[in-house]
Amino acid sequence: MAVAGLVGPTALGEHEHGRIQELRRLLLEDTQHGVLVVAHRGHHAEAPENSVAAIEAAISLGVHLVEVDVRETQDGRLVLMHDRNVGRTTTGWGDVDAMTFQELRGLHLLQGIRATSHRAPTLQEALAAAQGAVLVNLDLKGVKLERAAVEADRLGMLDHCVFKLEWTAEGSERIRQARARWPGLIVMPMVRSEAQLRRALADGDPSPVEFVVRDRDASHVTPALLTAVLVSGRRPWVNALGDWNMPGRGDYDVPERGGVVYAELAADGFKMIQTDLPEVALPALTPRRHAMAGSGTSGVRCATIDP
């Protein structure tokens, strides 16, 4: 699937280029085999969330995708930050869109309540850390899809990116326009209802579909609708992040139930699982990811992709 601005072997080297193309194949074409694990905000048990170090730690684990959050500073720089206000995750205070990049860079990222030496990275730095190793799911926080895609295109990193948008009338039109400009661009629709899901499936694109569950409302997560996504040749994505997502089957349940919660999600038919505990999800899902075997080692690294 050609994408304008794709990184090629001359930019990456044959091995790294092949790894990204294989990950894209697993994401878009070989959708029935195995479960893809997504590290939410990187592997933030090891480093501050949305930091370069957290991305690198997730890559070391062997995840398929790293999810990061993208915001824009007052002076137009794209940076990684989940919250609108930096108070929870840095040594400072204030809204990202009211701060210059220099002001943001003067702050240190927190690991829990402990200040670290890490700084909020730019999108460019984040993509550079992922280059040739892992796909990157960009959760755009107030940033237009076109703005982020232009930046990724400028860096030659569109082939690494999985964007996501709410499947509203406006969102679907933005997706249509972006795909017309960048054929093959991966934009994952986020659906909160059966009606949204049906509209998303009608476009015939192979991008995965994210089932968004909030406040335990999983009425649109039914075996029939999961089957509909799978039959369409697309991967259904689920978040296992908190008890507001999939009650009884998520990260919050690991202390009591262990990694079986991820195996249960996979048994339901989910082919992508986003988690804050990739170090638990990966070994729990390894027996189910027979298509990821090939070199005899465990985890995503064996996904017919040389580690």
Side-chain angles (χ1 to χ4, degrees), residues 128-195:
Q131 191 171 41
V134 71
L135 298 179
V136 184
N137 175 229
L138 300 179
D139 192 347
L140 305 178
K141 304 295 189 182
V143 176
K144 298 296 186 184
L145 170 61
E146 297 82 355
R147 171 74 176 90
V150 165
E151 180 75 358
D153 193 10
R154 182 180 68 81
L155 299 170
M157 293 283 288
L158 273 177
D159 64 338
H160 287 60
C161 295
V162 178
F163 301 90
K164 61 183 177 184
L165 278 184
E166 192 86 24
W167 196 260
T168 60
E170 179 184 358
S172 60
E173 177 59 21
R174 285 192 173 278
I175 292 173
R176 187 192 65 77
Q177 292 175 359
R179 287 174 179 158
R181 181 172 179 180
W182 296 284
L185 190 72
I186 304 175
V187 186
M188 177 174 66
M190 303 165 62
V191 299
R192 301 172 185 268
S193 68
E194 179 176 353

Side-chain angles (χ1 to χ4, degrees), residues 51-69:
S51 66
V52 166
I55 294 171
E56 293 172 340
I59 291 170
S60 295
L61 278 179
V63 300
H64 293 88
L65 293 93
V66 172
E67 185 265 0
V68 296
D69 303 286

